[in-house]
Amino acid sequence: MITALVTGGCGFIGTNLIRLILESTHDWKVINLDLLTYAGNLENTLGLEQDYPGRYIFVKGDIADPEMVNRVFQEHGLDVILNLAAESHVDRSIEDAGVFIRTNVMGVQVLLDAALKYKVQRFVQISTDEVYGSLGPQGRFNEAMPLAPNSPYSASKAAADLLIRSYIKTYGLDAVITRCSNNYGPFQFPEKLIPLIVVNAHEDKELPVYGDGKNVRDWIFVEDHCRGIITAARSGVSGEIYNMGGDAEKENIEIVSSILDYLHKPHSLIRYVKDRPGHDFRYAMDYSKIEAEQGWRPRVNFDDGLKRTIDWYLEHKSWWQRIRTGDYLEYYERMYGGR
Ligand code: NAD
Ligand code: DAU
């Protein structure tokens, strides 16, 4: 049995990853360590203990708390660490960078020290394409490109990547870094573009589009990313970085229009608002390295994935209606109220 620690397993990608690991393997056991911040939802993983007896355990805790982390490593005899715990929203990092540094940098240091102390076989860091900065109209990011993050969020992720590099070089830690583009799919918190537009359009609310709506993201269905993380954990080469992308470059306005058309809602709901400060223009990933070495490539076509995602949100209204309370409403008002 391989015992994997998945941190941030009650968030968007973590939830999808844990479900995929439990469904697609027979010899993996998952310990999910999550602080349950505003983005973590225990409901996402409800029932997994019963569905997969002896193969799933939830622990509430903070990756930046060394005592808690050491206890988890000691108690569970971990083989692999898959670190997804993070503050993940760029706009929130622009409001307040502090918690991003604490979790995304200091939390990683705590996990790395524990990985060395308890001699885990492999550390997998879930990083992001945003560490490369922004592209012009041409080209794609490859793993040899320099780090040039532009937001406090992406700077915190780049800092973690560099810290991991230092632990590989200095202490001989076995670690792999994955860098993926924009994920979409079930369980994504409705502060991110696709779920925000789906739920707002469904409720006939205005759809905030930053700037001129022409910024480009490379969209990947979350299940494809999760399959890549498992591949990197199983057979990635220690010390290597693997880019993943979805081969689906879209302008934001194209996405918003597609969602409106699918829901039969009027385009008059679109509201152009003030641009995000330091807004990266374009991301696009060259994933030829992981494809050549590990045989991974994205499988889900964007139009199919988007329909599956919209349908999921329509079928799970109570899931997002319960989330859109308290802190979220305050955040939403701060973000969009005055614009
Ligand atoms: P998310 O915000 O949906 O989930 C983050 C999870 O981490 C939540 O469950 C939260 O409770 C937990 N968490 C936060 N701080 C914690 C702490 N100190 N200790 C323990 N748990 C904590 O994020 P996501 O979109 O699922 O992203 C997961 C990871 O993937 C992040 O590291 C992110 O940088 C990376 N990533 C995301 C994308 C994307 O498009 N969403 C793309 C590439 C990489
Ligand atoms: O590229 C990977 C990254 O993708 C991850 O590392 C991040 O964790 C994840 O949040 C995501 O970052 P983005 O900033 O690209 O995602 P977001 O959904 O916030 O925004 C996507 C695009 O849509 C971006 O150009 C900003 C724009 N946008 C976003 C929101 C929330 C709008 O126009 N209106 C909005 O209301």
Side-chain angles (χ1 to χ4, degrees):
M1 192 66 98
I2 295 169
T3 305
L5 176 72
V6 176
T7 68
C10 292
F12 163 47
I13 301 173
T15 295
N16 284 283
L17 177 65
I18 290 175
R19 288 169 177 268
L20 186 65
I21 292 174
L22 293 173
E23 274 162 29
S24 66
T25 70
H26 298 289
D27 57 341
W28 283 47
K29 175 178 173 179
V30 173
I31 315 299
N32 173 9
L33 175 64
D34 197 300
L35 184 58
L36 299 179
T37 67
Y38 79 93
N41 186 347
L42 205 48
E43 209 182 307
N44 297 357
T45 50
L46 219 60
L48 293 181
E49 287 93 345
Q50 289 75 40
D51 294 347
Y52 299 94
R55 293 185 56 209
Y56 175 75
I57 294 172
F58 172 72
V59 182
K60 181 171 188 244
D62 183 351
I63 62 161
D65 173 352
E67 252 177 57
M68 147 68 64
V69 166
N70 276 286
R71 208 164 45 241
V72 171
F73 276 65
Q74 210 165 24
E75 272 174 24
H76 295 284
L78 304 172
D79 300 305
V80 183
I81 314 303
L82 305 173
N83 181 36
L84 290 91
E87 288 295 330
S88 67
H89 195 39
V90 173
D91 294 317
R92 288 184 187 253
S93 81
I94 294 167
E95 273 199 321
D96 178 11
V99 67
F100 284 74
I101 303 306
R102 185 174 187 281
T103 292
N104 301 3
V105 185
M106 292 163 70
V108 170
Q109 181 231 320
V110 169
L111 290 173
L112 289 170
D113 285 341
L116 284 180
K117 184 171 171 189
Y118 293 97
K119 299 186 171 47
V120 303
Q121 289 166 28
R122 166 143 295 184
F123 189 100
V124 183
Q125 170 69 0
I126 315 311
S127 185
T128 168
D129 60 356
E130 298 200 10
V131 298
Y132 297 116
S134 182
L135 289 166
Q138 303 297 323
R140 291 177 163 216
F141 292 129
N142 65 56
E143 292 86 350
M145 282 181 171
L147 300 184
N150 292 318
S151 71
Y153 161 70
S154 52
S156 71
K157 295 296 289 187
D161 287 6
L162 292 177
L163 198 58
I164 290 162
R165 177 191 155 91
S166 78
Y167 274 62
I168 296 167
K169 299 279 177 196
T170 306
Y171 306 110
L173 181 77
D174 183 310
V176 168
I177 295 173
T178 65
R179 291 182 181 151
C180 190
S181 60
N182 286 62
N183 286 219
Y184 67 99
F187 296 106
Q188 188 167 29
F189 195 85
E191 65 188 349
K192 307 283 166 47
L193 181 71
I194 289 182
L196 177 75
I197 298 301
V198 173
V199 306
N200 275 16
H202 178 70
E203 293 186 331
D204 298 304
K205 288 188 179 147
E206 285 183 333
L207 313 178
V209 173
Y210 299 169
D212 61 5
K214 292 196 179 304
N215 297 62
V216 174
R217 297 292 182 265
D218 174 357
W219 294 93
I220 180 169
F221 194 65
V222 63
E223 216 172 83
D224 277 332
H225 181 199
C226 292
R227 194 166 39 77
I229 294 172
I230 297 171
T231 302
R234 278 191 196 283
S235 53
V237 176
S238 179
E240 295 296 322
I241 293 166
Y242 295 102
N243 281 358
M244 285 182 259
D247 273 339
E249 282 187 56
K250 306 279 172 203
E251 288 184 352
N252 295 335
I253 192 66
E254 282 182 72
I255 304 240
V256 175
S257 301
S258 302
I259 295 171
L260 284 171
D261 293 344
Y262 188 69
L263 292 174
H264 302 292
K265 296 286 185 178
H267 286 228
S268 55
L269 287 175
I270 294 172
R271 183 173 159 215
Y272 288 95
V273 298
K274 206 167 74 188
D275 208 354
R276 171 186 281 173
H279 197 174
D280 286 336
F281 172 62
R282 175 172 165 260
Y283 306 143
M285 289 303 253
D286 172 351
Y287 58 80
S288 54
K289 179 174 167 181
I290 192 169
E291 184 174 30
E293 237 186 59
Q294 310 291 332
W296 177 93
R297 55 176 297 116
R299 289 180 187 159
V300 179
N301 158 282
F302 181 75
D303 292 338
D304 296 340
L306 185 64
K307 283 180 195 152
R308 275 166 73 179
T309 304
I310 298 173
D311 289 344
W312 187 88
Y313 280 86
L314 296 180
E315 286 156 15
H316 293 81
K317 273 184 216 161
S318 60
W319 181 86
W320 51 265
Q321 277 164 350
R322 272 199 290 279
I323 290 174
R324 301 216 309 169
T325 54
D327 169 71
Y328 176 77
L329 290 180
E330 279 170 36
Y331 164 79
Y332 192 84
E333 182 53 31
R334 278 201 312 279
M335 274 301 291
Y336 304 115
R339 299 212 225 186

